[in-house]
Amino acid sequence: LRAIEHARTVVVAATSGVSAVVDPDGSVQQRTALFEPAALVAQVPLRTDVTLASRLGPIPELALCVGAVAAAGVALVRGRRQHPTVPGPAPATGTAATPAARRFDREDL
């Protein structure tokens, strides 16, 4: 993803895992197997221009996080204002837990 984000060839060197050379379009030029000691040799272009992702850095992520927290706060405040506490329904009389007219059947014992 970083290769696509910054429009550059990325070389991933891993001491434990997969090493690879990834082109700017995201395709893998070379790679090793998992935990395989190997050496990759590739010519990669040198680029000096700065992409929009490099210029902005983490600003878009921070803005989205702040927006999400603000939206959650607004939803919480609106939810409390629009839904006042309503008492629950009154318990019914004559249910199995409370026999009607103080009479007991054999099933109640």
Side-chain angles (χ1 to χ4, degrees), residues 89-93:
T93 58

Side-chain angles (χ1 to χ4, degrees), residues 37-85:
L40 301 176
V41 178
Q43 287 196 358
V44 295
L46 179 62
R47 299 193 60 175
T48 58
D49 57 329
V50 178
T51 63
L52 180 63
S54 297
R55 272 186 257 136
L56 293 179
I59 292 173
E61 295 170 31
L62 292 173
L64 288 172
C65 288
V66 168
V69 169
V74 168
L76 183 66
V77 169
R78 282 190 178 179
R80 287 187 179 192
R81 286 185 187 168
Q82 292 177 356
H83 300 290
T85 57

